[in-house]
Amino acid sequence: MKICAACCVELPKEKFSNKQWKLKQYERRCKVCTNVDRDVQLKPPPKDKGPSCWICLDEGTDELGQPIRRDCSCRGSDAGFAHLSCLTSYAEQKSDDNLQNNISPKEPFQICPHCRKNYLNDIAIDLANNYVSFVEAGYSDYPDVCIWAQTLRLESLTAYNRNRTDSQTEEAREVSQRILCMIREMEAEGLPLSRQLCITEAYAHEIQGCMIKEEDNTERIPQALMHLERSKAVLQKHGESIGIARIEALIIEATAEISEDYDVEGLIKCTEEKYNETIKERGPSALDTIQVGLDLARTLKNHHYGWRAEGLFGELHKLSQLNHGDGHYLTKNAHEAMYRCLARMVSLPSDNGGQAIGFKEYHDEDKDVIFYQLWNYDNNFETCAIEGPFGRDREMSRSTLRLATTDIIYTLGTPVFFIPGDGEEHRHLFRKLGDIRSYDPETKCYTVHWKDDSLEPCAVHHCNLVVSNGISSDGGRSLN
């Protein structure tokens, strides 16, 4: 039903010509009004009224009273907006055509035809649910198509859902279990499993493992590892190299939660391989790729690889900004992570047992640590200004203090430059960039790993290090 702009009566589709049916509400006339050339009575909306649906061209709600929506990578004031009902009808038609031509039937429900990026959040979930209904109504005799429909539903709840609720987490767990049961039923009936279905099985095990891992229950970690190992085994069995690095990284992360003796270098290597494989599979600007890149950058920063983390955060922010716009949630996440990473935090010898703390610790509200923000150096780096304290009591009063530089402790993972003293020791390191990996409070020496791979890590006294430029919490330069 649509309104005729001339007689102002809501009429069914057959009362309009195909041409008139596609026009905007204030231009559309029924067949009777067209024949008598009756003038339109409805006025066009003000220019600032809002965007219109790119399918039906209406600005208002659809027949179900639902507004137009957009959550993809389209930009601008009018691009990519549509009613869910219009998107569903469009996707159903395209999926029917795709199935007839042996093309992926789920793509119209998954990817915006304009920006060619995935739908996200509630729109992704709603479209995935509608796709499941569409498949169950017309293709229930095709078990592989039914499994793909459930897979899209699972992806919408996890990979493309920014603010997953507890109920959605439980739903994702149920959907992944249903996928595994459907695959077992196909095997019991003697139906062959395609390579794509085998990858889907591995993905369902991965989600099961991740869901258990997110519970923060160490007693359940062995069960999470069981699912992750199964996922890895399925991928290896079918020669699917894409994804194995991702699973191996998850296995190391899960193992680290129940054992302090884990391979940090191995974790970083697996996470890097996961990122590189995602680039090859999806492209550098894909949402999945940028998210995996952010995970890698956080892993690097959490394990004190400061300059590498900061460089990657910056690259990912620019990439997301260019391809998805300033308002996209990934761009905002990358921007926030980059600024948090670049803020230069320090502590005092009287706090935290005199030990150096790490990036992960001072951003964890459950950790009982106190820290300050380093603002600048004075007097040829002999004194500095810090603001704080932050940490234990988030509402504590703060002030700016001026101290001798040797009276502060740099955070682990902070990028630093070497500045020589009066002696000749380490003069070859002048202005070399490195990361602080450990601190000895007795000698006030830091173990620094240098960006130049030809240089061996070494212990450097506090007075021979200066922090590289970062940014303050308000976006200005924090160090001179």
Side-chain angles (χ1 to χ4, degrees):
M1 302 285 286
K2 290 188 177 182
I3 296 176
C4 170
C7 63
C8 299
V9 176
E10 190 174 30
L11 300 168
K13 185 175 182 179
E14 57 267 20
K15 297 296 184 179
F16 299 87
S17 67
N18 289 334
K19 178 181 177 181
Q20 291 290 326
W21 181 261
K22 295 179 181 179
L23 294 178
K24 293 187 176 182
Q25 181 174 315
Y26 55 86
E27 299 174 331
R28 185 188 310 119
R29 294 188 297 177
C30 65
K31 293 178 180 177
V32 173
C33 292
T34 303
N35 290 336
V36 299
D37 199 24
R38 184 177 296 157
D39 292 336
V40 297
Q41 304 298 315
L42 297 179
K43 295 182 179 180
K47 291 184 178 180
D48 60 351
K49 185 175 181 180
S52 60
C53 173
W54 65 267
I55 299 174
C56 73
L57 306 181
D58 278 352
E59 296 90 351
T61 59
D62 62 8
E63 296 175 0
L64 301 175
Q66 298 297 313
I68 58 174
R69 301 153 67 183
R70 179 181 74 178
D71 203 342
C72 53
S73 292
C74 285
R75 285 176 275 179
S77 60
D78 200 38
F81 288 92
H83 299 107
L84 177 64
S85 58
C86 293
L87 283 175
T88 300
S89 298
Y90 168 84
E92 287 178 350
Q93 180 181 349
K94 290 293 183 182
S95 288
D96 276 328
D97 294 341
N98 287 357
L99 281 164
Q100 299 300 322
N101 293 291
N102 293 321
I103 302 174
S104 173
K106 74 175 184 178
E107 182 175 307
F109 286 89
Q110 181 181 25
I111 296 176
C112 170
H114 299 293
C115 64
R116 301 300 302 166
K117 305 297 182 183
N118 289 79
Y119 294 114
L120 303 170
N121 304 313
D122 289 344
I123 290 181
I125 294 171
D126 291 340
L127 282 171
N129 289 335
N130 290 346
Y131 179 51
V132 171
S133 300
F134 167 73
V135 169
E136 290 176 346
Y139 298 93
S140 59
D141 293 336
Y142 297 84
D144 53 345
V145 177
C146 293
I147 291 174
W148 291 335
Q150 293 294 338
T151 303
L152 180 59
R153 187 179 172 201
L154 180 59
E155 290 174 342
S156 71
L157 289 166
T158 55
Y160 304 114
N161 186 16
R162 179 169 49 127
N163 299 312
R164 190 170 73 239
T165 63
D166 291 341
S167 62
Q168 289 172 340
T169 297
E170 186 58 34
E171 185 179 355
R173 192 195 306 271
E174 293 173 359
V175 173
S176 60
Q177 186 60 46
R178 184 176 304 150
I179 291 171
L180 293 173
C181 290
M182 294 170 74
I183 291 175
R184 297 290 82 80
E185 290 173 2
M186 286 188 65
E187 290 178 328
E189 294 175 8
L191 298 174
L193 295 181
S194 66
R195 183 185 185 86
Q196 187 60 43
L197 283 177
C198 292
I199 297 173
T200 299
E201 179 186 4
Y203 177 63
H205 276 300
E206 177 187 345
I207 295 299
Q208 284 280 310
C210 289
M211 294 291 109
I212 297 172
K213 182 173 172 287
E214 289 177 3
E215 295 175 3
D216 289 331
N217 183 352
T218 55
E219 294 181 358
R220 295 258 291 161
I221 293 298
Q223 188 173 353
L225 286 168
M226 178 189 69
H227 280 288
L228 294 173
E229 292 288 359
R230 286 182 179 177
S231 177
K232 179 181 175 181
V234 171
L235 293 175
Q236 289 177 329
K237 178 181 177 181
H238 296 280
E240 181 57 47
S241 59
I242 299 295
I244 290 180
R246 179 179 67 250
I247 302 301
E248 289 178 340
L250 290 170
I251 290 173
I252 294 176
E253 289 175 1
T255 303
E257 295 187 21
I258 57 177
S259 172
E260 295 183 359
D261 184 20
Y262 70 99
D263 183 7
V264 173
E265 293 287 343
L267 172 61
I268 292 175
K269 181 180 178 181
C270 287
T271 311
E272 284 179 318
E273 290 176 355
K274 168 185 171 183
Y275 179 49
N276 292 330
E277 287 182 359
T278 309
I279 290 176
K280 292 178 182 178
E281 181 183 9
R282 305 290 179 88
S285 64
L287 298 178
D288 287 354
T289 305
I290 294 175
Q291 184 59 65
V292 172
L294 290 175
D295 292 341
L296 170 59
R298 291 189 186 97
T299 299
L300 289 168
K301 188 63 176 178
N302 287 341
H303 292 88
H304 319 320
Y305 291 72
W307 64 265
R308 290 179 60 190
E310 292 175 8
L312 184 55
F313 275 130
E315 291 174 10
L316 293 168
H317 175 251
K318 290 180 180 178
L319 196 61
S320 184
Q321 186 180 45
L322 178 63
N323 288 276
H324 307 293
D326 288 319
H328 196 278
Y329 83 92
L330 266 184
T331 306
K332 293 179 179 179
N333 287 353
H335 183 268
E336 179 183 359
M338 179 179 67
Y339 271 66
R340 291 177 70 181
C341 186
L342 288 169
R344 301 308 186 212
M345 299 303 183
V346 299
S347 57
L348 301 180
S350 58
D351 298 324
N352 314 316
Q355 300 296 318
I357 58 176
F359 175 81
K360 188 175 182 180
E361 292 173 296
Y362 72 71
H363 277 302
D364 188 344
E365 294 187 8
D366 294 331
K367 295 290 185 180
D368 191 20
V369 298
I370 294 178
F371 53 93
Y372 297 76
Q373 181 166 357
L374 176 63
W375 279 91
N376 55 48
Y377 291 105
D378 289 314
N379 301 322
N380 197 27
F381 305 111
E382 292 183 1
T383 60
C384 63
I386 63 173
E387 181 188 7
F390 302 91
R392 188 175 298 156
D393 182 355
R394 301 283 164 169
E395 301 301 323
M396 64 177 69
S397 60
R398 295 162 189 156
S399 60
T400 299
L401 307 175
R402 289 207 169 271
L403 304 171
T405 302
T406 53
D407 289 338
I408 62 174
I409 301 174
Y410 295 139
T411 299
L412 300 179
T414 300
V416 291
F417 288 105
F418 179 86
I419 52 174
D422 296 333
E424 295 296 325
E425 186 180 15
H426 300 318
R427 295 191 70 85
H428 65 289
L429 298 175
F430 178 60
R431 299 297 294 174
K432 294 293 185 180
L433 176 66
D435 294 320
I436 292 174
R437 299 291 175 83
S438 64
Y439 173 66
D440 184 347
E442 293 186 3
T443 61
K444 289 191 174 182
C445 287
Y446 300 88
T447 300
V448 180
H449 288 234
W450 306 102
K451 182 178 180 180
D452 186 343
D453 291 335
S454 66
L455 299 174
E456 291 291 330
C458 60
V460 182
H461 194 272
H462 189 108
C463 63
N464 294 118
L465 294 176
V466 58
V467 173
S468 72
N469 280 352
I471 53 175
S472 66
S473 57
D474 64 359
R477 301 299 291 184
S478 64
L479 299 176
N480 295 327

